[in-house]
Amino acid sequence: MEKKHFLLLLSLSASTAAIGKAVLDRIKKDVDPNASPQWIDSRGIGVFISTDLPVAQIWRHAFPDSLTLDQRQHMKDLLIVQVGPAW
């Protein structure tokens, strides 16, 4: 199956880059070991991803059910956009 390319954008509400770093670590471990972060700071994260997984699977790997309430409260908005010639 051909890999698709995505841009994951996550807005954070707290002054911590640790949540963004944890998301990136999970993406690199479970979705795309070559995921390329465009930025990680206290306001958010932007990551380029190449995978044959559908968006729902990317979401599940980036935000597993095991996240604590505190971790979930620091995340404001998430957008995963497929990029490429057809988009």
Side-chain angles (χ1 to χ4, degrees):
M1 181 176 263
E2 187 176 329
K3 289 190 176 187
K4 298 175 191 166
H5 305 286
F6 300 92
L7 174 60
L8 179 144
L9 301 170
L10 171 64
S11 176
L12 300 171
S13 62
S15 295
T16 178
I19 302 294
K21 173 83 169 85
V23 168
L24 177 61
D25 290 346
R26 285 189 296 273
I27 288 170
K28 283 184 168 254
K29 178 180 164 264
D30 298 325
V31 178
D32 177 11
N34 298 314
S36 174
Q38 201 56 28
W39 75 89
I40 301 173
D41 60 26
S42 63
R43 293 178 164 201
I45 179 174
V47 181
F48 287 105
I49 301 168
S50 292
T51 184
D52 56 359
L53 296 175
V55 171
Q57 283 294 103
I58 296 171
W59 181 287
R60 278 187 222 115
H61 288 301
F63 305 104
D65 292 336
S66 62
L67 290 179
T68 66
L69 178 61
D70 184 56
Q71 289 171 320
R72 290 179 187 277
Q73 288 176 332
H74 289 300
M75 294 183 279
K76 290 173 61 177
D77 296 309
L78 170 73
L79 178 65
I80 302 175
V81 179
Q82 185 174 350
V83 294
W87 299 89

